[in-house]
Amino acid sequence: MEGNNETEGDSGSVTSEPGPEDMTTSSPCPSDGQDSIEELGVNCQSPVMENKCKESTSNGVEEQSQPLPCQLCEEDPTRIAVKTCTVCTVRYCEQCLALTHPPRPPFSEHKLINPRTSFKKTVMCPDHPTKPVEMYCVQDQTPVCLLCEKVGRHKQHNMAALEEVFSQRRAELQAGVDRLGAWLTEGEDMVRRLQEKQADVKTSNAELKSTIEKECDDLVDRISRRSTEMDRQLTVVSSSDTANLARLIRDVQYNTPKAQASLSQAEKLLNETDHANFLQSSASVMAEIQRMVPIFGMNVENVACSIDKLTVDFSQQKQVVETMNIHKKYVPAFFPSPHGFPGAMSPYVQNPPFATPSFPVVHGPPFHAFPVSMPGLSVPAAHCPPQGNQGTLKIGQPVSQGCAYGGYPPHAPLATCPPRVGAPPSVQHPPAQPTILHDLCSTSMEGVYISWQTVSNADEYEVRYTVGGPQVVAVVHSCSFTARYLNPATKYRFEIRARNVAGSSLPSVTYLVTDGRGFKFRFDPKTAGRFLTFSGQNTRVAVTDREERPGGSPARFTDGNTVFGDKDVTSGQHYWEVSGAGSHYAVGVAYASMPRDRDIRDTTKSWAFVQHEKTQTFHHNETTISRHEVDAVPSRIGVLLDYDAGQICVYNADRGTTICTHKTAFTDPVYPAFSLWQGSLQLYTGVEKQQAIAQHALREEPLTAAILASVPSQERKQMLGERIFPIVELSHPKLAGKITGMLLEIDNAELLHLLDSRESLKAKVTEAVAVLGAHEKHVREQSGDAGK
């Protein structure tokens, strides 16, 4: 180790870089095998290189003229250090160096240099690890050594002094720091202003809601006034027609005795054989008959009534109401003007700078007109008046100008006219084609909701689709549209166009199919209580003894056993069934605002049928409305909801009988709702076949002995027959009348039992069919014997 000290100090391995004073200019380049700088003819005496060499030397620590003590010795006096390890950054004497750096890895890889008082780490060239960086390559944006400039890959690149680049980069960083510091200082004020904007949004929301409510109330008042006025007009017409018909009736009734007398006199005159007497009396009799002709000879079918010429058709008004929506306010655009033109242009500014008398510039809402057949204006001839005629080509008309559905008329040449001189940049070109958001589109049984992305320079959107025969054209200012009054299970083609004053885009087309009669939904786990678990793609729910979903969304029930369906109901009739044999459960409907800490039996915003063993109850408004004890627990329960009629019917799907019916008035959308305390529930939706049977059951209360006893005895069989006939007709439509007549021969009490037990009724019907078949066979045999 001692014999190799000087060699190790000059050419040891590199892990921490030595200072420039430890480098020798005659060392070969370990990277590329090139000769030394001196052998390559590097002129270190040139001004630039000389400065670089001096700077390189000055950056390091000068060699010490005085001996330095070892930093590891504990002797007094301390021995003189002979080397400094660049890895350990410690000065060693010969004895300590031999002890701490034996000639084997990893110590043999440490770099040893001449002793020094301090150690400054030098950045080394990445291409030549033994050379320190001394210049900056401007082209590659990296520090390099002198060798790189002469023979390396940076040869002939532009170089700069490290100090110059350092000063520039440091100034840039300082500017960034100052900027960020200023932003942080303004952050508190920024938060305050954003909070003010947030408060403004809430205020605007409340104001807009109040305006919507006020405007809708005003519409309702106007409709009410129009309804009253139309009722008055109808009453006037009806009264006039009724008075005219009453006059005709009085005329006929008043002249009937006279006509009978004239008829008797005429018949008597016909028997007269004396020519003179006949001729003397015939003239007066004929005159009386002629007087009766207008009264009794008129054709009643030709009697005109004014009310027959009246009709009611509000389809266009309904479509206008369906397209009602909030929309953006029109804000005048700002245009820079070198002529002192006002910054905010008024909605219609005639003859501003750059306009000519024959071609005024017009800015404003999306309904504009500009002259045609003018110098410098080119419009396709198909959409212009004949040449030489001065006229106005209108782009779009509001509803007041005759468009049935609002906005632009379907025939308007929207995309053919060139942009107007001086028009705002956003309306110099027609808008881009809208992109339909298929994931957000949805359908119901009688409606379709369609949504699309906003087009930046569009003023409004045109929606076209077909209902029956005619095509419906609607104009909306939002990026969504709801089509109503459609047919169930029908495919519709929708076209969406974006429009502005420069024209309209190409249509985006999509096809949507309305839902069938069956109402399809699943359990919604986002609302489920913490003791419910789901399977079968959320069509089956079961009670678990562990918490499945503690805490979570505000929509979730803190009551651990309740869950909603994932679709709401706002109109129409809908039917679904649940199967939960041996379970304790409740099924019904509820508002979304129902309290989340209670089940569906105990609130004013829910309606619930409860099945517990053989007891069936119906609950609403914290009250048990009805209670029934049954002999057999049904395996399937059906619920038929008629939202518009405000009626809920609970149905025994096993027997096809109605358990109970409740009438109410719904004010908000309702969701299918369920509470489960024991066992599991299987959900069945989209049941169309059962719906027709359930609708029949919905119209009638269960027939009981008390109801039957309350009607006269002669009407009881009729009432029983009205209940039995529709049931028999489902299986034997041609024999339903005969079979019903045969069953009505049975005692009334037995018939009530048959209505309550569908299996017993089915057996009786089968027996009646067999009797009818035997009777017909006997009749055919007798007919055959008589023929023989």
mmCIF file of all heavy atoms in Angstrom, residues 1-8 82-83 93-99 101 103 112:
data_model
loop_
_atom_site.group_PDB
_atom_site.id
_atom_site.type_symbol
_atom_site.label_atom_id
_atom_site.label_comp_id
_atom_site.label_asym_id
_atom_site.label_seq_id
_atom_site.Cartn_x
_atom_site.Cartn_y
_atom_site.Cartn_z
ATOM 1 N N MET A 1 0.831 -1.201 0.000
ATOM 2 C CA MET A 1 0.000 0.000 0.000
ATOM 3 C C MET A 1 0.860 1.243 0.000
ATOM 4 O O MET A 1 0.618 2.193 -0.700
ATOM 5 C CB MET A 1 -0.951 -0.016 1.198
ATOM 6 C CG MET A 1 -1.830 1.237 1.315
ATOM 7 S SD MET A 1 -3.018 1.336 -0.026
ATOM 8 C CE MET A 1 -4.115 0.014 0.468
ATOM 9 N N GLU A 2 1.961 1.239 0.819
ATOM 10 C CA GLU A 2 2.803 2.419 0.894
ATOM 11 C C GLU A 2 3.536 2.639 -0.417
ATOM 12 O O GLU A 2 3.726 3.759 -0.850
ATOM 13 C CB GLU A 2 3.814 2.271 2.035
ATOM 14 C CG GLU A 2 3.144 2.265 3.389
ATOM 15 C CD GLU A 2 4.158 2.100 4.491
ATOM 16 O OE1 GLU A 2 5.355 2.054 4.189
ATOM 17 O OE2 GLU A 2 3.759 2.021 5.657
ATOM 18 N N GLY A 3 3.948 1.536 -1.065
ATOM 19 C CA GLY A 3 4.679 1.692 -2.321
ATOM 20 C C GLY A 3 3.812 2.165 -3.449
ATOM 21 O O GLY A 3 4.307 2.598 -4.464
ATOM 22 N N ASN A 4 2.551 2.052 -3.341
ATOM 23 C CA ASN A 4 1.640 2.414 -4.409
ATOM 24 C C ASN A 4 0.880 3.689 -4.141
ATOM 25 O O ASN A 4 -0.087 4.005 -4.823
ATOM 26 C CB ASN A 4 0.629 1.284 -4.654
ATOM 27 C CG ASN A 4 1.283 0.041 -5.129
ATOM 28 O OD1 ASN A 4 2.366 0.111 -5.736
ATOM 29 N ND2 ASN A 4 0.691 -1.106 -4.844
ATOM 30 N N ASN A 5 1.270 4.417 -3.113
ATOM 31 C CA ASN A 5 0.476 5.593 -2.746
ATOM 32 C C ASN A 5 0.388 6.589 -3.869
ATOM 33 O O ASN A 5 -0.677 7.101 -4.178
ATOM 34 C CB ASN A 5 1.082 6.251 -1.501
ATOM 35 C CG ASN A 5 0.763 5.465 -0.251
ATOM 36 O OD1 ASN A 5 -0.098 4.618 -0.304
ATOM 37 N ND2 ASN A 5 1.467 5.727 0.833
ATOM 38 N N GLU A 6 1.551 6.907 -4.495
ATOM 39 C CA GLU A 6 1.532 7.962 -5.513
ATOM 40 C C GLU A 6 0.733 7.523 -6.729
ATOM 41 O O GLU A 6 0.010 8.297 -7.327
ATOM 42 C CB GLU A 6 2.977 8.278 -5.922
ATOM 43 C CG GLU A 6 3.134 9.576 -6.716
ATOM 44 C CD GLU A 6 2.703 10.754 -5.882
ATOM 45 O OE1 GLU A 6 2.929 10.746 -4.640
ATOM 46 O OE2 GLU A 6 2.129 11.707 -6.450
ATOM 47 N N THR A 7 0.873 6.234 -7.082
ATOM 48 C CA THR A 7 0.102 5.725 -8.237
ATOM 49 C C THR A 7 -1.383 5.774 -7.976
ATOM 50 O O THR A 7 -2.182 6.173 -8.808
ATOM 51 C CB THR A 7 0.537 4.288 -8.568
ATOM 52 O OG1 THR A 7 1.931 4.305 -8.797
ATOM 53 C CG2 THR A 7 -0.184 3.758 -9.768
ATOM 54 N N GLU A 8 -1.787 5.354 -6.777
ATOM 55 C CA GLU A 8 -3.226 5.385 -6.454
ATOM 56 C C GLU A 8 -3.740 6.799 -6.437
ATOM 57 O O GLU A 8 -4.875 7.073 -6.798
ATOM 58 C CB GLU A 8 -3.466 4.706 -5.096
ATOM 59 C CG GLU A 8 -3.188 3.226 -5.126
ATOM 60 C CD GLU A 8 -3.324 2.630 -3.730
ATOM 61 O OE1 GLU A 8 -3.547 3.385 -2.797
ATOM 62 O OE2 GLU A 8 -3.193 1.415 -3.610
ATOM 63 N N VAL A 82 -0.539 11.292 4.456
ATOM 64 C CA VAL A 82 0.084 11.118 3.147
ATOM 65 C C VAL A 82 -0.957 11.074 2.015
ATOM 66 O O VAL A 82 -0.619 11.344 0.874
ATOM 67 C CB VAL A 82 0.938 9.838 3.132
ATOM 68 C CG1 VAL A 82 2.121 9.981 4.091
ATOM 69 C CG2 VAL A 82 0.110 8.611 3.460
ATOM 70 N N LYS A 83 -2.197 10.691 2.345
ATOM 71 C CA LYS A 83 -3.266 10.608 1.319
ATOM 72 C C LYS A 83 -4.611 11.010 1.923
ATOM 73 O O LYS A 83 -4.831 10.874 3.138
ATOM 74 C CB LYS A 83 -3.385 9.182 0.746
ATOM 75 C CG LYS A 83 -2.192 8.745 -0.092
ATOM 76 C CD LYS A 83 -2.104 9.574 -1.361
ATOM 77 C CE LYS A 83 -0.887 9.153 -2.182
ATOM 78 N NZ LYS A 83 -0.737 10.018 -3.375
ATOM 79 N N CYS A 93 -2.524 8.830 7.561
ATOM 80 C CA CYS A 93 -1.081 8.609 7.536
ATOM 81 C C CYS A 93 -0.811 7.234 6.933
ATOM 82 O O CYS A 93 -1.743 6.492 6.641
ATOM 83 C CB CYS A 93 -0.482 8.714 8.949
ATOM 84 S SG CYS A 93 -1.091 7.429 10.072
ATOM 85 N N GLU A 94 0.467 6.856 6.787
ATOM 86 C CA GLU A 94 0.749 5.578 6.134
ATOM 87 C C GLU A 94 0.224 4.413 6.944
ATOM 88 O O GLU A 94 -0.329 3.447 6.393
ATOM 89 C CB GLU A 94 2.272 5.444 5.930
ATOM 90 C CG GLU A 94 2.835 6.416 4.906
ATOM 91 C CD GLU A 94 4.324 6.177 4.694
ATOM 92 O OE1 GLU A 94 4.869 5.276 5.348
ATOM 93 O OE2 GLU A 94 4.910 6.876 3.845
ATOM 94 N N GLN A 95 0.389 4.438 8.292
ATOM 95 C CA GLN A 95 -0.089 3.332 9.127
ATOM 96 C C GLN A 95 -1.618 3.221 9.084
ATOM 97 O O GLN A 95 -2.178 2.131 8.936
ATOM 98 C CB GLN A 95 0.393 3.529 10.582
ATOM 99 C CG GLN A 95 1.872 3.346 10.783
ATOM 100 C CD GLN A 95 2.657 4.596 10.393
ATOM 101 O OE1 GLN A 95 2.069 5.567 9.941
ATOM 102 N NE2 GLN A 95 3.990 4.532 10.575
ATOM 103 N N CYS A 96 -2.309 4.342 9.238
ATOM 104 C CA CYS A 96 -3.799 4.296 9.232
ATOM 105 C C CYS A 96 -4.331 3.897 7.854
ATOM 106 O O CYS A 96 -5.341 3.214 7.739
ATOM 107 C CB CYS A 96 -4.349 5.657 9.650
ATOM 108 S SG CYS A 96 -3.991 6.078 11.373
ATOM 109 N N LEU A 97 -3.654 4.355 6.801
ATOM 110 C CA LEU A 97 -4.098 3.998 5.451
ATOM 111 C C LEU A 97 -3.990 2.504 5.224
ATOM 112 O O LEU A 97 -4.861 1.881 4.616
ATOM 113 C CB LEU A 97 -3.266 4.770 4.428
ATOM 114 C CG LEU A 97 -3.667 4.571 2.963
ATOM 115 C CD1 LEU A 97 -5.085 5.078 2.715
ATOM 116 C CD2 LEU A 97 -2.679 5.286 2.046
ATOM 117 N N ALA A 98 -2.863 1.890 5.726
ATOM 118 C CA ALA A 98 -2.696 0.448 5.555
ATOM 119 C C ALA A 98 -3.761 -0.325 6.319
ATOM 120 O O ALA A 98 -4.220 -1.387 5.883
ATOM 121 C CB ALA A 98 -1.297 0.045 6.013
ATOM 122 N N LEU A 99 -4.159 0.204 7.480
ATOM 123 C CA LEU A 99 -5.184 -0.484 8.282
ATOM 124 C C LEU A 99 -6.597 -0.351 7.679
ATOM 125 O O LEU A 99 -7.382 -1.293 7.696
ATOM 126 C CB LEU A 99 -5.183 0.079 9.705
ATOM 127 C CG LEU A 99 -3.959 -0.248 10.573
ATOM 128 C CD1 LEU A 99 -4.014 0.501 11.897
ATOM 129 C CD2 LEU A 99 -3.851 -1.746 10.813
ATOM 130 N N HIS A 101 -7.492 0.659 4.436
ATOM 131 C CA HIS A 101 -7.684 0.412 3.011
ATOM 132 C C HIS A 101 -6.815 -0.742 2.548
ATOM 133 O O HIS A 101 -5.769 -0.545 1.885
ATOM 134 C CB HIS A 101 -7.357 1.667 2.208
ATOM 135 C CG HIS A 101 -8.363 2.752 2.346
ATOM 136 N ND1 HIS A 101 -8.537 3.452 3.524
ATOM 137 C CD2 HIS A 101 -9.280 3.247 1.462
ATOM 138 C CE1 HIS A 101 -9.505 4.347 3.359
ATOM 139 N NE2 HIS A 101 -9.981 4.235 2.117
ATOM 140 N N PRO A 103 -5.583 -3.932 0.285
ATOM 141 C CA PRO A 103 -5.582 -4.017 -1.192
ATOM 142 C C PRO A 103 -6.577 -5.052 -1.746
ATOM 143 O O PRO A 103 -6.187 -5.990 -2.447
ATOM 144 C CB PRO A 103 -4.138 -4.396 -1.500
ATOM 145 C CG PRO A 103 -3.693 -5.171 -0.311
ATOM 146 C CD PRO A 103 -4.346 -4.541 0.868
ATOM 147 N N LEU A 112 -7.634 7.686 -4.028
ATOM 148 C CA LEU A 112 -6.729 8.340 -3.075
ATOM 149 C C LEU A 112 -6.011 9.483 -3.759
ATOM 150 O O LEU A 112 -5.472 9.324 -4.867
ATOM 151 C CB LEU A 112 -5.707 7.335 -2.521
ATOM 152 C CG LEU A 112 -6.284 6.103 -1.804
ATOM 153 C CD1 LEU A 112 -5.177 5.172 -1.388
ATOM 154 C CD2 LEU A 112 -7.140 6.520 -0.620
#
